[in-house]
Amino acid sequence: MVLWAHSARWQRGSDEALVLGPRHALADHCRSTAVLARRFAAVFGAGELAYVLGLFHDAGKASCVWQDRLLEVEGTDNPVGVPHKELGARLTTKAVGFAALAILGHHGGLKNRGALDDLDLDGDWSAADVDAAVRFLTAVPEGSGARLASGLYPSRWRSVKDKLGMEMRLRMVFSAMVDADHLDTAAHRRGLAAPHLTAPVDMRVLAARFEQRRAEKVVGPVTDVGRMRSEVYQAAVDAAAKRPGLFRLAAPTGLGKTYAQAGFGLEHAARHGKSRVIVAVPFITITEQNAGVYRELLDTDEQPVVLEQHSSVRFGGDDDRAVTDAERWARLAAENWDAPFVVTTTVQLFESLFGRKPSQVRKLHRLADAVVILDEVQALPTRLLLPILSGLRTLVEDFGTTVLLTSATQPEFQALSVWKPSAERAGVSVTEVIEDPQPLFERARRVDYEWRLEPQLSWDQVADGLAGVRQAMVIVNSVADARNLYRLLSVQREEVWHLSTRMCPQHRRQVLAVVKSRLTAGLPTLLVSTQLIEAGVDVSFPVVWRALAPADSLQQAGGRANRNGELREGGLVVVFDPQDGKRPAEYERACALTVKYFGPHGAKLDDQAMLASYYRELYEDLQLDYRRADRSKDNVGQIVQANREDLDYFAVADGPLDIATGARNRKKAFRMILDESVPVVVPDAEHEATLEALLADLAAGTTSAGAALRMLQPWIVQLGERTASAPSVSALISPVVGDLGRWNGIYDWDPNTCRGVGLDENEIDLVI
């Protein structure tokens, strides 16, 4: 008899009538998954291991109970509801060891090595399990030899006794296997003869296209800034010829790192046979901006190249017939980064790298033999640097990944244990793209810093200081401060705009467009923003006021003043310490060290040697590497590392289990964003009918949640869970579906002027 992996699904026939399509044979599915998994994992030498995992991942579906239930639910949306993952793990554990966790987790996600103990490998097999194993091996006879194979692990993995490395290696094999499983299943559901894979792209062609189009865009009058941008770009392209590994590009703000880092990535991929370039940035605003630039330089009408993948991106509808080929490609490629050039966020990258769910992890194998560019690397969360840097090291040393770190304020990562030399191995070697960047920073100085820390200024005094300034930006550290200062300034003048995360993405984009247009036209313009404006947003004011913040934030703020060197007299950055200002608790020690090293009588903020000292002392003060006698008091980075060593993927992603409560402690998990957020859709008069229709369809369950949420994303504001649960706020949120709500409170926005503060929750303080 034929064993089935997936039942028939309703589809439209040639006469448009609904008919049941073909079933998916279990043997075909397991073989196809195995072959595809081998192809993916062969890039890092684990092809045969992935092959065995793919071959056996659905072995449990051979049981009579599973097969009978599959036919019972055929033609419905009901799940089979019969466990099937344990049999494949039991059949293969002696050959694949801990990698059997991949089979156990191919639906629900990786757990921990205790899951293998629960299999009771040495116990007696039930008659049903024996029967299912015989049925499976009869249908897939090659499995009999595969389950007894030896030497499946690459020799390097066996010779390097590195628990953290092994944890990452198992993730990557899991990624290859679950991606292969998803692709083959999707092919069956779409009625395709084979899984959809993007054809390989000649990276030499892409590198040449990028260079030609970039050169056309930068043609114009030769300025000092233009010359320095050319130098940075050429240094990046020249460095691309060097052997793969870890690179660092330290260059001042405004000197074209967006072009330079992509030029490095494409040229390096072309020279060294790398498969793709992945650019990760800290904020969605930069992702959208950079992806637009890269699409102009790389995409053609016939061939989309750049995949933009983050929480706000929209890929079109779920019906393949309703979207273009390019939209369909983007949606499919986003699931597993099957694209030659990917632009994403650091949140997406690292929460996938340390996640456990198949939907997160299936893209990870694409990092092998790729070029990964971390833009604005200073924005990585300090509390998670140990696992992040450890993971990057493993990618470079075990998976042929080249990593480029770019920033105007390069952190001193070599000061941390995970990159330091030890008794077991040498320290991480970092190649500087610009060997001595200090002279470049000195030539590129385009602003003066004025420190106004004592006495502290009131908000009224800040407003008075800006009264006679024609064009200026004020950057503060909290949503509440931005809202309050904006309203104070709005009483004095009309040409004031506001920017914060309390505005939906669509309105933030509109504000930036208006502000840029007015700056270009020389019109009076005052912008009050939270720190989301920093790190890559391309605006240039003559004057910037910046509330006291860590050294990297101050320099990033300086990059928004006189950005293009248009002012001969230079721009001005005023650093002030507001009396009633709010700032994140994690800023406190960094702010104190900033004043110590760079304050009124300190070094220039771009002094590279002093920045290195600043970061070393900051890491020491934060005790990132401090080993306590009481390990229960370890910081979150150390806890994540300890759980990684223990192969406890559940604890890494969801937090360790609290024995007393039986719940997972999320505060001790790998989470790039600390506060859980609640998405709320804000009203928009221009699109009200569309938004209300989508919300109604979502609530009624008459539309795909994924498609609707993608369409709603431009009008969604993320509220912190604590803020959203406050009685005065929760009363203003109407539930729609899941945790999605509709905001019924004040949303301050004038579509004619693009002015307002957005969602106003009665001035409950929130730091972005």
Side-chain angles (χ1 to χ4, degrees):
M1 65 176 291
V2 177
L3 301 176
W4 305 110
H6 303 108
S7 61
R9 295 174 64 88
W10 290 106
Q11 60 188 45
R12 294 197 179 277
S14 56
D15 59 354
E16 290 298 303
L18 285 175
V19 297
L20 278 174
R23 295 173 182 150
H24 197 188
L26 179 63
D28 291 345
H29 174 56
C30 288
R31 288 185 178 117
S32 178
T33 299
V35 170
L36 202 53
R38 172 198 276 155
R39 172 177 168 179
F40 292 155
V43 175
F44 48 89
E48 295 311 307
L49 176 61
Y51 175 85
V52 173
L53 296 175
L55 197 64
F56 281 86
H57 78 287
D58 271 353
K61 290 183 176 181
S63 75
C64 293
V65 174
W66 199 94
Q67 290 289 314
D68 290 344
R69 178 61 179 161
L70 179 73
L71 299 183
E72 287 178 18
V73 301
E74 187 167 61
T76 74
D77 291 328
N78 297 326
V80 173
V82 177
H84 69 273
K85 54 189 182 296
E86 290 80 4
L87 180 63
R90 292 192 75 180
L91 286 169
T92 60
T93 296
K94 289 186 178 179
V96 304
F98 288 127
L101 289 170
I103 295 178
L104 288 177
H106 77 275
H107 283 301
L110 292 168
K111 291 187 177 180
N112 52 47
R113 55 185 179 181
L116 292 178
D117 297 334
D118 295 341
L119 290 177
D120 189 20
L121 296 173
D122 297 323
D124 293 333
W125 286 51
S126 69
D129 280 349
V130 171
D131 179 62
V134 170
R135 285 156 60 94
F136 176 76
L137 293 174
T138 299
V140 189
E142 62 267 40
S144 297
R147 67 183 289 258
L148 302 174
S150 60
L152 294 176
Y153 282 75
S155 58
R156 172 173 166 74
W157 292 11
R158 298 194 301 271
S159 63
V160 179
K161 305 301 181 184
D162 175 8
K163 292 181 179 179
L164 292 169
M166 181 55 69
E167 188 262 4
M168 187 61 67
R169 294 163 194 153
L170 294 182
R171 282 183 188 279
M172 294 291 273
V173 176
F174 177 62
S175 170
M177 190 268 280
V178 295
D179 190 29
D181 178 27
H182 278 70
L183 287 169
D184 191 64
T185 301
H188 162 69
R189 289 175 176 171
R190 293 174 182 274
L192 303 177
H196 171 86
L197 294 174
T198 299
V201 174
D202 189 335
M203 299 303 285
R204 291 170 297 182
V205 172
L206 291 188
R209 182 187 303 162
F210 182 89
E211 170 54 28
Q212 178 185 345
R213 293 182 178 179
R214 184 203 68 88
E216 292 170 355
K217 286 179 71 69
V218 299
V219 170
V222 178
T223 64
D224 289 341
V225 172
R227 277 189 286 269
M228 287 186 285
R229 286 174 178 165
S230 295
E231 290 175 26
V232 170
Y233 181 81
Q234 194 58 49
V237 172
D238 291 344
K242 297 179 180 179
R243 59 183 298 180
L246 262 163
F247 290 78
R248 186 165 72 169
L249 171 58
T253 57
L255 289 195
K257 288 192 294 294
T258 300
Y259 285 166
Q261 64 191 16
F264 169 91
L266 292 164
E267 183 66 20
H268 190 80
R271 285 177 174 268
H272 299 282
K274 301 296 183 186
S275 55
R276 62 186 40 80
V277 176
I278 300 169
V279 181
V281 299
F283 305 119
I284 288 176
T285 48
I286 318 174
T287 310
E288 295 168 342
Q289 174 182 286
N290 289 4
V293 171
Y294 295 143
R295 276 193 289 266
E296 278 188 56
L297 299 177
L298 289 171
D299 280 3
T300 67
D301 292 338
E302 299 78 25
Q303 180 193 45
V305 171
V306 177
L307 170 68
E308 181 183 355
Q309 196 262 332
H310 52 74
S311 61
S312 290
V313 78
R314 299 165 67 189
F315 295 118
D318 282 353
D319 183 351
D320 275 357
R321 293 169 299 173
V323 297
T324 66
D325 289 343
E327 289 171 330
R328 187 180 303 113
W329 169 83
R331 190 175 71 243
L332 294 174
E335 296 173 353
N336 62 354
W337 288 352
D338 186 13
F341 199 103
V342 179
V343 183
T344 187
T345 61
T346 49
V347 172
Q348 286 277 345
L349 173 62
F350 289 112
E351 292 205 342
S352 294
L353 192 62
F354 295 102
R356 67 178 198 88
K357 296 287 189 179
S359 58
Q360 294 174 301
V361 180
R362 61 178 291 200
K363 63 177 74 78
L364 291 188
H365 68 91
R366 303 290 182 185
L367 299 176
D369 201 32
V371 182
V372 175
I373 298 168
L374 298 181
D375 194 5
E376 306 294 359
V377 72
Q378 81 288 341
L380 291 174
T382 307
R383 59 192 165 79
L384 294 176
L385 282 180
L386 293 185
I388 286 174
L389 298 180
S390 171
L392 291 176
R393 178 174 192 162
T394 302
L395 288 177
V396 170
E397 294 179 350
D398 281 2
F399 296 97
T401 308
T402 286
V403 174
L404 173 66
L405 311 175
T406 74
S407 175
T409 49
Q410 284 285 351
E412 190 67 5
F413 291 151
Q414 293 96 318
L416 292 170
S417 59
V418 288
W419 279 17
K420 279 183 177 178
S422 65
E424 292 78 27
R425 57 184 179 178
V428 168
S429 175
V430 179
T431 301
E432 297 286 355
V433 171
I434 301 173
E435 191 169 340
D436 179 13
Q438 187 60 52
L440 181 63
F441 276 91
E442 293 171 3
R443 288 170 53 205
R445 285 174 186 158
R446 304 185 296 282
V447 300
D448 292 319
Y449 286 85
E450 180 181 319
W451 298 79
R452 297 190 191 177
L453 304 181
E454 295 180 359
Q456 290 181 291
L457 301 181
S458 67
W459 290 119
D460 284 330
Q461 289 172 316
V462 172
D464 290 343
L466 291 161
V469 182
R470 184 175 175 81
Q471 293 184 333
M473 174 167 63
V474 188
I475 306 174
V476 295
N477 293 318
S478 77
V479 168
D481 287 352
R483 181 170 52 219
N484 295 339
L485 181 58
Y486 166 79
R487 285 179 170 157
L488 180 62
L489 290 165
S490 294
V491 174
Q492 302 177 1
R493 57 196 289 185
E494 292 185 359
E495 313 90 1
V496 187
W497 282 264
H498 168 273
L499 207 59
S500 82
T501 53
R502 289 314 177 85
M503 302 165 66
C504 67
Q506 176 70 13
H507 295 161
R508 294 203 302 264
R509 282 191 285 267
Q510 289 176 239
V511 168
L512 281 173
V514 168
V515 167
K516 289 181 181 181
S517 174
R518 292 181 66 88
L519 289 173
T520 301
L523 298 173
T525 308
L526 187 57
L527 176 65
V528 180
S529 176
T530 57
Q531 54 266 53
L532 68 82
I533 193 72
E534 294 173 346
V537 178
D538 190 7
V539 292
S540 181
F541 285 85
V543 176
V544 171
W545 282 50
R546 181 60 168 99
L548 182 61
D552 56 288
S553 289
L554 297 187
Q555 193 167 343
Q556 292 296 332
R560 308 318 125 196
N562 194 26
R563 185 173 180 84
N564 301 307
E566 55 267 52
L567 303 173
R568 288 191 175 184
E569 66 277 18
L572 175 65
V573 178
V574 178
V575 182
F576 66 102
D577 190 9
Q579 287 176 3
D580 301 319
K582 308 290 194 301
R583 59 179 175 236
E586 61 267 25
Y587 272 24
E588 293 305 320
R589 189 55 197 151
C591 285
L593 289 176
T594 296
V595 175
K596 172 184 174 180
Y597 281 96
F598 308 104
H601 307 293
K604 298 284 188 182
L605 274 161
D606 59 15
D607 186 316
Q608 300 299 291
M610 202 61 72
L611 268 173
S613 298
Y614 159 84
Y615 277 115
R616 282 193 293 268
E617 186 168 350
L618 178 62
Y619 297 157
E620 289 177 8
D621 286 356
L622 296 177
Q623 298 186 334
L624 298 185
D625 268 329
Y626 182 72
R627 303 303 296 265
R628 299 161 180 80
D630 182 358
R631 299 307 302 275
S632 67
K633 296 182 179 179
D634 280 355
N635 60 55
V636 65
Q638 292 170 318
I639 291 170
V640 169
Q641 288 291 82
N643 287 324
R644 291 184 62 213
E645 288 187 342
D646 205 31
L647 297 185
D648 192 341
Y649 297 95
F650 221 144
V652 170
D654 296 348
L657 192 64
D658 188 317
I659 303 300
T661 64
R664 296 273 168 184
N665 188 342
R666 295 278 289 161
K667 293 182 179 179
K668 296 181 179 181
F670 187 98
R671 297 167 63 203
M672 291 287 285
I673 300 174
L674 277 174
D675 292 331
E676 299 285 355
S677 60
V678 175
V680 294
V681 178
V682 299
D684 182 279
E686 185 180 356
H687 303 87
E688 183 176 6
T690 301
L691 295 177
E692 295 297 347
L694 280 169
L695 291 174
D697 287 344
L698 265 177
T702 56
T703 186
S704 162
L709 287 172
R710 283 192 291 270
M711 296 179 69
L712 288 168
Q713 193 64 51
W715 293 279
I716 287 179
V717 170
Q718 300 285 347
L719 282 179
E721 192 173 52
R722 184 175 61 181
T723 301
S725 62
S728 61
V729 178
S730 61
L732 300 172
I733 301 175
S734 300
V736 178
V737 64
D739 63 350
L740 180 70
R742 184 195 189 282
W743 179 248
N744 300 311
I746 296 174
Y747 187 84
D748 181 16
W749 174 255
D750 183 339
N752 297 315
T753 62
C754 297
R755 298 181 68 216
V757 299
L759 189 151
D760 188 339
E761 76 301 350
N762 298 322
E763 299 189 353
I764 294 176
D765 293 339
L766 178 71
V767 176
I768 67 166

